Amino acid sequence: MPFISVLVELMVKTGINKKLKQPTEQNSLVGHRNFDVIPEGSSPNLLVLQSLWANLPPELLLDIISRLEASETTWPSRRAVVCCAAVCMSWREITKDVIRTPEECSLLTFPMALKQPGPRDSPIQCFIRRERTTSTYRLYLGLSPALSGDASKFLLAAKRMKKAMKTDFVISLSPNDFSQTSDNYAGKLRSNFFGSKFVIHDCQPPCNSSVQSQGWSWKRISTKKVSPRLPICNYNVATISYELNVLRTRGPRRMHCTLHSIPISSIQEGGVAPTPPTFSYVLDETFCPLKNSPAKSKESISNPREPLALRNKTPRWHEQLQCWCLNFRGRVTVASVKNFQLEADVDPTHNVSASEQEKVILQFGKIGKDIFTMDYRYPISAFQAFAICLSSFDTKPACE
């Protein structure tokens, strides 16, 4: 149901419609415009808080946003839910309470959902569009460009930056802003010279405090702020490695991924994956790199909880087609060495059920020229899944 219809229906039932019309009728006697005198030193936020929209009864407002959230489950209509959080502070707080995590509702609403674990039951289906001329990769929410059309929702973007001894994929919340000093900076993927090892850096501190920053850069902000500059930290949240192919034999890539920020207990019975509540750029003494010496900040800190490890599912050789095959359930249509499926790499001592071990946590494959599908699920997030898929695009002369 559209937002206006929900609002009008509930306002008529509660009698608020007459209260909202009352100031309009009084203002019409004075003139066409209403010039309010704003006291000196008062902020626009204070005026918004004193408005009629901010003074709606909390029970009514909760009912409105709850019904809107339940009805608008696809983009771009779900944009109305985001608009509710932008009305005023009271609307924002109630909207934050109504919106659930992707693990609970399988929906992506706010940017913070991109760094929260995906749903447990069914994967979130996305696709990646590659632009060869600009070395840019953009992630969209949807089945494919042909099927989703205008309903495709932009999620993340990455730009490949080749350097002398390494390659960086800078990941951004904006489709065109790839500056690491920007507010849109989400993290990066860095590879070694051979393209056999990759490290995922997150700009936000993970919920697991044992993962420390791996260095920082400086971000300039307005001189009107209290602090002239804020540090942007890079936290090592995952490591991806590809086995070297010394004999140059033809076959699929062998891939292994270690998620330092996700414990293996998250896929055990009753386990919970770390879920960040919000985005925060505030310096905290518990993770601020300035509290440690530069030598210590570059060392890898051991995690007391064993991290979750993923490995690519081994494909089988198809005699008739004369190629390696995997069951992508119709989501991949073009054969490519980049195609893969990741599943949990666990030992029998970890007490992980057989159903959890067989689940495909992340799958990536080609469906057309420069178009790839990406389906991910619990316990990884969209940001982690996108970064892992970006590693498949980099050249690997020693692994193929």
Side-chain angles (χ1 to χ4, degrees):
M1 181 182 297
F3 173 66
I4 299 298
S5 302
V6 175
L7 183 61
V8 171
E9 179 183 348
L10 292 174
M11 287 172 61
V12 170
K13 289 182 180 179
T14 55
I16 296 182
N17 193 24
K18 297 180 180 179
K19 295 181 181 180
L20 292 177
K21 288 183 179 180
Q22 200 170 17
T24 306
E25 295 173 357
Q26 293 176 357
N27 294 338
S28 62
L29 299 177
V30 179
H32 296 286
R33 291 187 179 181
N34 181 22
F35 297 91
D36 293 329
V37 179
I38 302 176
E40 247 182 275
S42 63
S43 62
N45 292 334
L46 181 61
L47 298 177
V48 173
L49 288 175
Q50 296 174 351
S51 65
L52 292 174
W53 291 105
N55 294 329
L56 286 176
E59 297 80 5
L60 173 63
L61 188 56
L62 179 62
D63 192 11
I64 293 174
I65 299 178
S66 299
R67 294 177 60 179
L68 181 66
E69 194 275 338
S71 60
E72 307 296 349
T73 57
T74 58
W75 288 89
S77 60
R78 195 166 178 79
R79 190 179 304 163
V81 181
V82 181
C83 294
C84 289
V87 174
C88 60
M89 295 179 65
S90 60
W91 283 58
R92 184 179 301 116
E93 292 302 322
I94 293 181
T95 304
K96 287 168 59 178
D97 294 337
V98 171
I99 299 300
R100 296 169 295 169
T101 63
E103 181 183 352
E104 299 170 334
C105 66
S106 304
L107 297 175
L108 300 175
T109 306
F110 295 110
M112 64 181 176
L114 299 176
K115 295 196 175 182
Q116 294 176 339
R120 292 176 180 263
D121 299 331
S122 58
I124 294 181
Q125 297 177 325
C126 311
F127 67 89
I128 300 175
R129 185 188 297 273
R130 175 178 60 181
E131 294 184 7
R132 296 176 181 266
T133 55
T134 59
S135 298
T136 304
Y137 308 85
R138 293 183 174 88
L139 176 67
Y140 296 89
L141 177 65
L143 296 175
S144 66
L147 297 176
S148 300
D150 296 337
S152 302
K153 168 64 178 174
F154 168 80
L155 300 179
L156 291 168
K159 187 175 181 62
R160 184 173 181 266
M161 299 180 181
K162 184 70 175 178
K163 299 182 180 180
M165 300 297 295
K166 58 190 176 183
T167 302
D168 284 350
F169 290 84
V170 179
I171 304 175
S172 173
L173 297 172
S174 170
N176 299 310
D177 183 11
F178 299 100
S179 173
Q180 296 189 39
T181 60
S182 170
D183 291 337
N184 295 317
Y185 176 68
K188 66 181 178 182
L189 175 73
R190 171 166 291 183
S191 73
N192 60 359
F193 176 74
F194 296 101
S196 59
K197 186 176 181 180
F198 297 80
V199 178
I200 301 176
H201 295 281
D202 194 343
C203 69
Q204 299 296 330
C207 297
N208 180 10
S209 60
S210 62
V211 179
Q212 300 293 330
S213 64
Q214 303 296 310
W216 59 87
S217 57
W218 289 100
K219 173 187 175 183
R220 297 184 179 273
I221 61 176
S222 174
T223 55
K224 296 181 181 180
K225 303 289 184 180
V226 177
S227 176
R229 291 188 293 180
L230 290 176
I232 296 181
C233 306
N234 287 315
Y235 296 87
N236 182 353
V237 296
T239 303
I240 309 165
S241 59
Y242 291 82
E243 291 186 12
L244 298 178
N245 188 2
V246 181
L247 300 178
R248 310 293 294 177
T249 57
R250 296 188 62 183
R253 296 172 177 173
R254 292 179 176 86
M255 179 180 180
H256 191 270
C257 180
T258 304
L259 303 170
H260 307 296
S261 60
I262 303 177
I264 197 171
S265 60
S266 61
I267 62 173
Q268 295 174 350
E269 186 177 358
V272 178
T275 303
T278 56
F279 284 177
S280 174
Y281 286 99
V282 181
L283 289 178
D284 189 357
E285 293 183 358
T286 59
F287 64 85
C288 179
L290 302 182
K291 300 295 180 180
N292 303 324
S293 62
K296 290 183 179 180
S297 65
K298 294 183 180 180
E299 296 176 357
S300 59
I301 309 299
S302 60
N303 189 351
R305 300 180 298 175
E306 187 175 357
L308 176 64
L310 305 178
R311 65 183 176 187
N312 66 316
K313 198 171 183 178
T314 305
R316 61 179 179 85
W317 178 257
H318 199 287
E319 290 292 342
Q320 294 180 351
L321 300 178
Q322 291 295 303
C323 65
W324 298 94
C325 296
L326 279 172
N327 184 13
F328 288 95
R329 301 186 183 278
R331 291 285 289 156
V332 178
T333 57
V334 180
S336 174
V337 71
K338 299 179 177 63
N339 303 345
F340 66 82
Q341 288 180 335
L342 292 185
E343 58 184 5
D345 185 11
V346 297
D347 294 331
T349 57
H350 291 149
N351 296 325
V352 179
S353 63
S355 59
E356 286 292 335
Q357 297 183 32
E358 295 175 357
K359 283 185 178 179
V360 176
I361 297 177
L362 171 64
Q363 76 171 18
F364 171 79
K366 191 173 183 179
I367 59 173
K369 185 179 180 181
D370 299 326
I371 302 295
F372 302 81
T373 59
M374 185 196 85
D375 301 341
Y376 76 97
R377 68 194 310 161
Y378 178 91
I380 65 175
S381 63
F383 168 78
Q384 295 168 338
F386 185 46
I388 295 174
C389 293
L390 289 175
S391 67
S392 185
F393 287 107
D394 197 24
T395 55
K396 302 170 181 60
C399 304
E400 297 177 351

